Amino acid sequence: SRDISERKRREEEIRVFKTIADNANYGVVVTDLGGYIIFINNYLSALHLYSTAELNGKNLNLLFNESESRLMQDIIAEMVKSGHYEAIEMWHTKKDGTIFPMLMNGVVVFDDEGKPAKLAWTAIDISPLKIAYEKIKTNEERFRSLFENSPLGIVIISGEKIILTNQRFADIFGFSSDATDNKKRISEILEFEGNESKVKSLFEDNIFANTFE
């Protein structure tokens, strides 16, 4: 009777796990200690353009290229020793050869005797974050190029504190660009004879940018 109750309890735990995993909007995969897939959810298999049936029993390496597969073997060895592995970015490979990044976490599942028995992983597709980051990086580089190479002198200040200047601004006021960046207040520039007329209209807003010719 006790054995039957224990079996029913475990069957219920498995049913709840599968219900949650199969409906999750992130990847879930369980492997043996050699990396062979015991369970993979619909999200993760579909993301790689496979069916779950195609992946069950296959090695997890199928989802990576050769270099990432070697890394995964090292990660598995480390997981078995430490009991978990947190937040590693891995480049996955789809069935059609497309590569994409996922953030993976893993934990060891222990048996009743406390020995490592299985490995459980979660994985999140971070492609949208990568794309957004690259766009931001490109825009920052474009701004930096325009800023540094502008024929106009540009200064960005908050209150009287200098936030940023370009080289043309430094040339106009007779400083090195490092020197102007290190000035704590724009009023320090006003102390130099001949500069008063060039900066007298700067203080209209609290935070602003202005240009000089």
Side-chain angles (χ1 to χ4, degrees), residues 5-56:
S5 297
E6 180 66 16
R7 190 188 73 231
K8 287 184 176 180
R9 182 185 66 81
R10 293 192 177 188
E11 288 175 350
E12 177 63 13
E13 288 177 349
I14 292 172
R15 186 189 67 80
V16 171
F17 165 78
K18 282 183 60 63
T19 299
I20 294 172
D22 281 335
N23 291 282
N25 61 351
Y26 54 88
V28 179
V29 59
V30 180
T31 73
D32 64 16
L33 299 184
Y36 287 90
I37 296 171
I38 298 169
F39 169 85
I40 186 167
N41 71 341
N42 296 325
Y43 174 91
L44 192 58
S45 56
L47 190 62
H48 290 81
L49 306 181
Y50 291 98
S51 66
T52 55
E54 287 179 288
L55 292 176
N56 282 325

Side-chain angles (χ1 to χ4, degrees), residues 8-213:
K8 287 184 176 180
R9 182 185 66 81
R10 293 192 177 188
E11 288 175 350
E12 177 63 13
E13 288 177 349
I14 292 172
R15 186 189 67 80
V16 171
F17 165 78
K18 282 183 60 63
T19 299
I20 294 172
D22 281 335
N23 291 282
N25 61 351
Y26 54 88
V28 179
V29 59
V30 180
T31 73
D32 64 16
L33 299 184
Y36 287 90
I37 296 171
I38 298 169
F39 169 85
I40 186 167
N41 71 341
N42 296 325
Y43 174 91
L44 192 58
S45 56
L47 190 62
H48 290 81
L49 306 181
Y50 291 98
S51 66
T52 55
E54 287 179 288
L55 292 176
N56 282 325
K58 300 294 194 302
N59 197 281
L60 196 61
N61 286 338
L62 183 62
L63 306 182
F64 306 102
N65 61 26
E66 185 176 347
S67 63
E68 294 290 72
S69 294
R70 289 195 297 269
L71 176 59
M72 178 55 69
Q73 295 309 306
D74 293 338
I75 291 171
I76 288 176
E78 180 62 29
M79 275 182 63
V80 173
K81 289 181 180 179
S82 66
H84 68 281
Y85 207 98
E86 295 183 0
I88 181 170
E89 181 181 318
M90 297 286 291
W91 285 88
H92 287 234
T93 303
K94 296 184 180 183
K95 190 176 184 179
D96 65 0
T98 303
I99 61 171
F100 66 102
M102 298 197 80
L103 191 66
M104 299 187 68
N105 291 273
V107 296
V108 175
V109 180
F110 297 92
D111 62 18
D112 292 338
E113 297 179 355
K115 297 179 180 179
K118 298 178 179 65
L119 306 175
W121 307 84
T122 58
I124 301 172
D125 182 9
I126 57 174
S127 299
L129 294 178
K130 283 283 189 180
I131 292 171
Y133 171 77
E134 289 301 323
K135 286 182 178 179
I136 291 172
K137 184 179 178 182
T138 298
N139 287 336
E140 285 180 346
E141 290 173 351
R142 184 179 295 121
F143 167 79
R144 172 62 66 177
S145 178
L146 290 172
F147 182 82
E148 292 294 347
N149 297 297
S150 173
L152 301 174
I154 304 173
V155 58
I156 301 174
I157 68 175
S158 174
E160 285 194 26
K161 184 179 179 181
I162 295 175
I163 304 300
L164 188 65
T165 68
N166 69 347
Q167 184 60 52
R168 179 57 180 153
F169 177 87
D171 292 342
I172 291 170
F173 286 93
F175 295 100
S176 68
S177 58
D178 289 340
T180 52
D181 288 344
N182 291 330
K183 289 292 183 182
K184 293 183 178 181
R185 293 184 177 278
I186 193 72
S187 57
E188 295 182 47
I189 294 177
L190 285 171
E191 296 175 1
F192 289 82
E193 184 179 354
N195 289 339
E196 293 87 344
S197 63
K198 297 177 182 179
V199 294
K200 66 181 180 180
S201 62
L202 284 178
F203 302 98
E204 296 177 358
D205 300 302
N206 186 42
I207 300 177
F208 59 91
N210 211 330
T211 59
F212 298 83
E213 299 183 39

